[in-house]
Amino acid sequence: MSAKQPKSGNKGKKTPEDAPGAVWFRAEKTSRTGPQLSHERIVATAVELLDRDGVQKLSMRRLAERLGAHATSLYWHVATKDDLLDLALDAVFAELDLPGEHSAAWQDDIEAFMTGLRSVLLRHPWAAALAGSRPLMGPSALRASEFTYTALTTGGFEGVHLSSAAATLTHYVLGSASSEAVWRERSDEAATRSAVDAHLRARIDEYPTLAGHFPLLDEDDWDAHFHRGMRLLLAGLASSEARG
Amino acid sequence: MSAKQPKSGNKGKKTPEDAPGAVWFRAEKTSRTGPQLSHERIVATAVELLDRDGVQKLSMRRLAERLGAHATSLYWHVATKDDLLDLALDAVFAELDLPGEHSAAWQDDIEAFMTGLRSVLLRHPWAAALAGSRPLMGPSALRASEFTYTALTTGGFEGVHLSSAAATLTHYVLGSASSEAVWRERSDEAATRSAVDAHLRARIDEYPTLAGHFPLLDEDDWDAHFHRGMRLLLAGLASSEARG
DNA sequence: ACCTGAACACCGTTCAAGT
DNA sequence: ACCTGAACACCGTTCAAGT
């Protein structure tokens, strides 16, 4: 059905470009529907669509349409949709701006990593949940890991304690960013929150401690919430026990 | 096409139950293809399928087939597939076995929560990633939160520090379980790991610290890895700074 | 009250064919 | 080398109709 009404195609239309002599005025080889497909353009557009509509709405067909191409053409450039998601995710990590040189206090580097990663993840609300569900092995993710490993090494972490500390920090950033993103994505955060709050208060026998403590009724608290968790982690890192 | 070859249906087949007089031997009103649908049976079967085939493979049609019903029938019991996933997830949290009474040392309760949650999540490898990507507001998840909030209150946490500490612990368990599950799901974990290791070593200029520290080449290290992160968090909780 | 059947508007991916 | 077109085997969900 939808194939019968060409939306962005150009077959069958008589355009000035078809007129005799038009060869001379036509652009050389480049496709008429925009720039050619390329690995980079596909990934960049995927990120754009993911930002706008979320991960559930991204399809190869919608992506292709936006690129002025057919869905099947994408498969010349990327193997699967899953690969594309990995590429889009690493593109987000590529936005992470880490200090060029390591600072005197290694804790400052850890803070820079954590707050920096959090803010790129919040710029792309689909990214944190995705990052939590697959290995992060892209070059930009590895670059970020390298930075963290170096800072922690300066802090005295070695061997297995090094990887455990790094993983713990990363899990915290991904987890808190994901949870923040998912709450903020719903337009009615405040309404949902007070509904949950009411629900808990109505069952105060079951949830005596939880009711009344349901977090973050104020929107601006997200930032402070993140920083409190980060301080807890930094305090944990400071403890010699963590180093073995 | 697929509708023309009845796979598990029973229309058109002559069975002994169709024979004259068979009325008397037939079960009363119950459907022929198994017990009737119910909220509980749908959720339990969904968990079963998720355990076996993962979240990507779960569809309303496959689930219905396994229940001996049609996909559309499920919609009388659950509103959407998304709701069903929330229900399945809370069913996993329901398996979490928490101490009946709180122990003398609140840290032991925190440990019990963390290790307990980790093990139910690893029993259902799809669960951790899902839990990280949506609010956990089911009754069993709330029960677990109540337990943690109570333990932390005993530990001296109050107000915003209480929710921040609780969230930090939860993010760690979900993140580490998710990452462990995703690595273990691939049949060739060892092979993948040494491929990554080789990749890093080949780029030792870019990743001087990371190369050679790529974690967990031994499978049994997952457990110790988790416990090291947990100790780091407990050390963080112990620091007075975390309480305000 | 509970379930079916048909239908709608989609999916990811393969592959021969075009340029 | 890069892209199209047709096709395959699926999806979630709605809704009128059956019992």
Side-chain angles (χ1 to χ4, degrees):
Chain A
M1 293 274 150
S2 57
K4 279 177 190 166
Q5 26 174 346
K7 290 186 173 183
S8 63
N10 49 14
K11 62 203 168 244
K13 280 191 208 154
K14 282 277 176 198
T15 76
E17 295 207 345
D18 293 332
V23 230
W24 314 116
F25 313 118
R26 256 201 303 263
E28 285 223 9
K29 270 267 182 178
T30 141
S31 121
R32 277 150 267 185
T33 50
Q36 287 189 291
L37 288 180
S38 76
H39 198 90
E40 292 74 31
R41 207 164 79 88
I42 290 173
V43 174
T45 308
V47 169
E48 212 176 295
L49 280 186
L50 285 163
D51 288 350
R52 216 188 46 184
D53 301 325
V55 79
Q56 292 243 31
K57 288 269 184 69
L58 183 77
S59 75
M60 299 301 269
R61 286 169 154 93
R62 287 160 80 101
L63 176 56
E65 191 187 14
R66 181 154 246 250
L67 288 161
H70 289 219
T72 53
S73 308
L74 300 175
Y75 287 88
W76 198 88
H77 296 88
V78 295
T80 61
K81 185 188 178 185
D82 230 50
D83 277 14
L84 179 59
L85 288 175
D86 276 328
L87 293 165
L89 194 54
D90 205 61
V92 170
F93 273 82
E95 289 178 22
L96 172 58
D97 197 22
L98 293 169
E101 3 193 301
H102 286 268
S103 101
W106 61 273
Q107 290 95 336
D108 292 351
D109 285 340
I110 298 297
E111 278 206 39
F113 161 70
M114 293 178 77
T115 56
L117 180 53
R118 171 172 182 255
S119 60
V120 300
L121 291 176
L122 293 179
R123 271 210 301 273
H124 306 284
W126 49 274
L130 207 64
S133 72
R134 54 187 68 214
L136 301 174
M137 303 277 81
S140 299
L142 291 178
R143 186 184 115 261
S145 282
E146 171 68 21
F147 180 85
T148 315
Y149 270 65
T150 306
L152 287 171
T153 300
T154 308
F157 288 84
E158 286 177 346
V160 291
H161 296 95
L162 179 51
S163 8
S164 292
T168 305
L169 300 175
T170 306
H171 291 146
Y172 175 67
V173 180
L174 297 184
S176 58
S178 172
S179 135
E180 178 168 349
V182 78
W183 272 104
R184 293 211 170 173
E185 252 167 10
R186 39 182 84 195
S187 46
D188 55 344
E189 176 178 353
T192 312
R193 287 206 166 273
S194 49
V196 176
D197 196 48
H199 178 95
L200 289 175
R201 285 178 195 283
R203 286 159 189 78
I204 198 149
D205 309 341
E206 278 176 276
Y207 313 118
T209 316
L210 195 56
H213 280 285
F214 187 66
L216 294 171
L217 285 163
D218 186 323
E219 283 198 29
D220 284 323
D221 282 352
W222 280 112
D223 238 71
H225 192 60
F226 174 77
H227 278 86
R228 281 191 296 272
M230 183 167 74
R231 277 204 301 280
L232 195 156
L233 286 164
L234 287 168
L237 291 176
S239 130
S240 63
E241 211 193 327
R243 246 151 295 185
Chain B
M1 292 272 149
S2 56
K4 282 178 191 166
Q5 25 175 347
K7 287 186 174 181
S8 60
N10 49 13
K11 61 198 168 252
K13 279 192 209 154
K14 284 275 176 200
T15 74
E17 295 205 348
D18 293 331
V23 226
W24 315 113
F25 312 120
R26 258 201 302 262
E28 285 221 10
K29 270 261 182 185
T30 140
S31 121
R32 276 151 266 184
T33 50
Q36 288 188 293
L37 288 180
S38 76
H39 200 89
E40 292 74 30
R41 207 163 81 88
I42 290 173
V43 174
T45 308
V47 170
E48 211 177 297
L49 280 186
L50 286 163
D51 288 351
R52 217 190 45 185
D53 301 325
V55 79
Q56 294 242 30
K57 288 272 183 66
L58 184 77
S59 74
M60 297 304 267
R61 285 168 154 92
R62 288 161 79 101
L63 176 55
E65 192 188 14
R66 180 155 247 251
L67 289 162
H70 289 219
T72 52
S73 308
L74 301 176
Y75 286 88
W76 198 87
H77 300 272
V78 295
T80 62
K81 184 187 178 185
D82 230 49
D83 278 13
L84 179 58
L85 289 175
D86 276 328
L87 293 166
L89 195 54
D90 205 61
V92 170
F93 273 82
E95 291 179 21
L96 173 57
D97 197 22
L98 293 169
E101 4 193 298
H102 287 269
S103 102
W106 61 273
Q107 292 95 338
D108 291 350
D109 285 340
I110 299 297
E111 277 206 38
F113 162 71
M114 294 178 78
T115 56
L117 180 53
R118 172 174 181 253
S119 59
V120 300
L121 291 175
L122 292 179
R123 268 207 304 272
H124 305 284
W126 49 276
L130 207 63
S133 72
R134 55 188 66 214
L136 300 174
M137 304 277 83
S140 299
L142 291 178
R143 189 184 112 259
S145 282
E146 172 66 22
F147 181 85
T148 315
Y149 271 64
T150 306
L152 287 171
T153 301
T154 308
F157 288 84
E158 285 175 348
V160 291
H161 295 96
L162 180 51
S163 11
S164 293
T168 305
L169 299 176
T170 305
H171 291 147
Y172 175 67
V173 180
L174 297 184
S176 59
S178 172
S179 136
E180 178 169 348
V182 76
W183 272 104
R184 292 213 170 170
E185 250 166 8
R186 39 181 84 195
S187 47
D188 55 342
E189 176 178 353
T192 312
R193 289 209 165 270
S194 49
V196 176
D197 195 51
H199 178 94
L200 290 174
R201 285 177 194 282
R203 286 157 189 77
I204 197 147
D205 308 344
E206 277 176 275
Y207 313 119
T209 316
L210 196 56
H213 281 285
F214 186 67
L216 293 172
L217 285 161
D218 187 321
E219 283 197 30
D220 286 322
D221 282 351
W222 281 112
D223 237 73
H225 192 61
F226 174 77
H227 277 86
R228 281 191 297 272
M230 184 168 70
R231 276 203 302 280
L232 195 156
L233 285 165
L234 287 168
L237 292 178
S239 131
S240 64
E241 210 193 328
R243 244 150 298 184

